[in-house]
Amino acid sequence: MAVTGGVLVLYLVAHMIGNLKIFLGEEDFNHYAHWLRTIGEPAVPHRTVLTLIEVVLGLSVVLHMWSAVSLGKRASHARPVKYQSKKKSHAQGYAVHTMRYGGVIIALYIVWHLLDLTFFVVNPKNSDATPYERMVSDFDPSRWYITVWYVVALLLVGLHLNHGIWSAFQTLGLRTPRSHRALRGLAGAVAAVVTLGFISVPLSITFGWVS
Amino acid sequence: MKLTLRVWRQSGPQDKGAMVEYKLDDISPDASFLEMLDVLNEKLIADGGEPIAFDHDCREGICGMCSLVINGTPHGPERATTTCQLHMRKFKDGEVIDVEPWRAKAFPVVKDLVVDRSAFDRIVQSGGFISAPTGTAPEAHSTPVPKPDADRAFEAAECIGCGACVAACPNGSAALFLGAKVTHLGLMPQGQPERWDRVVSMLDTHDEEGFGGCTNTGECTVACPKGIPLDVIGRLNHDYLKATAGGKKRA
């Protein structure tokens, strides 16, 4: 959970920084998308690095989900009879209690996101358009519901990271009484920066700040 | 005080069990939760009924026998307090109070509110000890321990093994209990010889007993009547990784 989650967090940070290129203009953004496919050329063939990233990422997602499912299964075996009394404890805040259902929603969101901007199945444009055109038409003001869907999913990602990053340090035994506050702060800061960075792109397009 | 209790009644391990409602008037707000149950039991006996079985021993918050989930919270609403030290003044007059046993596969219900916690004994037997010659008490100052280590070890040693951490955990994990034992013994010089084997065998026994996996929700430390901090789980994971991946384990 912790190791695969760590890989995914690092990817998210890189992906978020890449997305922000949209604010540098159409040419920069398209150039960035092209560069991703040509890293290391001509030493390595076209799309080598990107494919490698995709493989590591896919593997991490699968193993992350597998860990979550096995933990969930163990949990239901460990308590076959449930409590009658309904209580809501948020010992470490609300985020902890969104990890499982939130994770499922995030997984569904990733499927949509791939169909949208990787395979162009649910995107208004197709593979003839430039990446910039696809982004801008995707979050067009007339398609505000797509923007809402992205924002909701990204807020869930933020909650997921807020607990997940801290929890990963604890799982890897890197948390000591002294580093507790620092690690909590780090988790909160990374979660906030990643979420706001991602959300800023669809919102800016929908509100017409980027066109 | 007038109270309505909804208590889990189960005649034996095989019985299905159900919540049964009891009305009580005239309970002193100064009574402890267990004294309130004593009053109810005397009434039940006088009426020719079967008294409610519940675990208790010292009634001063140090033995770890009392084990009631009150309104969904192990040991009730007051922080860092065992059920026996919880008083009825913490409840409102006329309140409906749910009383249930610890719920975990590794803690099967024996009767009513009594659960079998010998799974914890087996975890301790698998590694919660040090090898030292008994019968001769060494001079206490002959083995110096840094003060911060001694304090942290003492904090972890406060664990009374009641199992509230398991009862509170949404995953039914005993990681806080394990962490408390591993931290307590692992910080002391006397605990070093078995340190790396201890963490592995205690964790293996924990998993064999059917406890769940920790996801760091933090519910355990909130429910713990001794306020064992969550960082003992960080130490547990640290020692476990060092013992296994780090190759420190001998056996």
Side-chain angles (χ1 to χ4, degrees):
Chain A
M1 205 93 258
V3 174
T4 53
V7 172
L8 296 174
V9 171
L10 292 178
Y11 172 76
L12 279 184
V13 172
H15 183 6
M16 188 271 292
I17 294 170
N19 279 8
L20 294 180
K21 292 237 174 227
I22 199 135
F23 295 109
L24 296 178
E26 187 164 358
E27 207 174 305
D28 268 302
F29 189 73
N30 287 335
H31 177 260
Y32 163 70
H34 179 69
W35 170 77
L36 281 180
R37 284 152 186 80
T38 56
I39 306 171
E41 277 185 37
V44 291
H46 184 64
R47 233 179 167 286
T48 304
V49 174
L50 193 62
T51 309
L52 262 176
I53 294 175
E54 282 168 352
V55 169
V56 171
L57 210 54
L59 211 62
S60 299
V61 169
V62 169
L63 289 176
H64 197 69
M65 283 168 35
W66 174 79
S67 315
V69 169
S70 11
L71 273 168
K73 268 193 188 163
R74 267 189 75 182
S76 59
H77 288 166
R79 179 164 299 133
V81 183
K82 306 278 173 250
Y83 290 109
Q84 304 271 320
S85 184
K86 297 269 168 282
K87 71 143 192 187
K88 273 190 183 153
S89 171
H90 291 158
Q92 296 227 67
Y94 176 67
V96 179
H97 300 267
T98 67
M99 294 308 272
R100 284 195 179 129
Y101 79 84
V104 172
I105 296 175
I106 292 168
L108 292 174
Y109 161 74
I110 292 172
V111 171
W112 175 272
H113 183 52
L114 289 176
L115 289 175
D116 186 4
L117 290 161
T118 306
F119 301 112
F120 324 131
V121 178
V122 293
N123 193 279
K125 302 269 181 184
N126 55 33
S127 52
D128 299 336
T130 64
Y132 188 86
E133 284 166 352
R134 280 193 293 266
M135 279 281 259
V136 171
S137 51
D138 198 16
F139 302 113
D140 190 80
S142 65
R143 283 165 58 89
W144 57 270
Y145 46 91
I146 299 292
T147 307
V148 171
W149 164 222
Y150 268 75
V151 168
V152 168
L154 288 167
L155 287 175
L156 272 171
V157 171
L159 285 176
H160 209 78
L161 293 187
N162 189 33
H163 174 69
I165 293 174
W166 173 84
S167 182
F169 281 108
Q170 169 103 334
T171 302
L172 296 175
L174 300 171
R175 182 230 175 167
T176 58
R178 225 186 257 175
S179 64
H180 174 58
R181 264 162 187 261
L183 291 178
R184 269 253 174 260
L186 178 76
V190 172
V193 168
V194 166
T195 310
L196 292 176
F198 272 126
I199 284 179
S200 68
V201 175
L203 280 185
S204 302
I205 295 172
T206 304
F207 285 103
W209 300 320
V210 171
S211 56
Chain B
M1 289 176 82
K2 274 182 196 257
L3 295 167
T4 305
L5 288 181
R6 294 177 55 220
V7 183
W8 182 262
R9 299 303 310 262
Q10 183 175 339
S11 61
Q14 306 308 323
D15 185 30
K16 219 170 142 260
M19 297 294 266
V20 178
E21 198 172 287
Y22 299 98
K23 300 247 183 234
L24 280 170
D25 326 296
D26 203 28
I27 290 290
S28 163
D30 296 327
S32 76
F33 201 88
L34 297 187
E35 284 165 346
M36 181 273 295
L37 286 179
D38 292 338
V39 171
L40 173 59
N41 272 348
E42 277 171 25
K43 212 178 99 176
L44 286 175
I45 294 166
D47 295 345
E50 179 81 10
I52 301 163
F54 61 90
D55 261 329
H56 63 104
D57 191 15
C58 74
R59 298 207 178 194
E60 50 189 39
I62 53 170
C63 76
M65 273 309 277
C66 54
S67 53
L68 302 178
V69 174
I70 301 162
N71 285 338
T73 306
H75 291 301
E78 199 179 3
R79 282 269 186 119
T81 306
T82 53
T83 300
C84 62
Q85 294 287 295
L86 175 69
H87 289 86
M88 298 316 293
R89 53 182 169 268
K90 300 289 172 186
F91 297 88
K92 287 191 287 283
D93 192 29
E95 196 171 334
V96 181
I97 305 171
D98 287 343
V99 190
E100 294 174 79
W102 283 178
R103 289 289 185 207
K105 184 170 175 266
F107 291 160
V109 172
V110 177
K111 188 182 180 184
D112 297 336
L113 303 169
V114 178
V115 296
D116 179 0
R117 283 169 283 185
S118 33
F120 267 15
D121 298 339
R122 290 188 289 272
I123 291 177
V124 170
Q125 278 162 11
S126 72
F129 52 80
I130 59 160
S131 45
T134 52
T136 49
E139 156 61 32
H141 290 293
S142 60
T143 314
V145 181
K147 176 72 170 142
D149 287 356
D151 286 348
R152 280 198 66 212
F154 188 83
E155 188 181 44
E158 280 189 73
C159 171
I160 51 177
C162 66
C165 44
V166 177
C169 178
N171 300 307
S173 169
L176 194 74
F177 171 76
L178 281 180
K181 301 303 163 201
V182 163
T183 302
H184 160 205
L185 299 172
L187 275 167
M188 301 307 267
Q190 295 87 343
Q192 296 312 308
E194 295 89 0
R195 181 169 171 188
W196 311 108
D197 292 324
R198 171 185 305 120
V199 62
V200 176
S201 33
M202 286 183 89
L203 200 93
D204 287 350
T205 312
H206 167 276
D207 291 355
E208 280 160 24
E209 292 290 345
F211 292 104
C214 175
T215 61
N216 303 320
T217 67
E219 297 291 346
C220 50
T221 188
V222 176
C224 178
K226 297 296 154 185
I228 305 289
L230 203 56
D231 60 60
V232 298
I233 299 178
R235 197 180 163 86
L236 169 75
N237 291 328
H238 174 268
D239 275 16
Y240 184 77
L241 285 173
K242 221 167 163 181
T244 50
K248 290 264 195 181
K249 186 172 76 107
R250 264 176 285 165

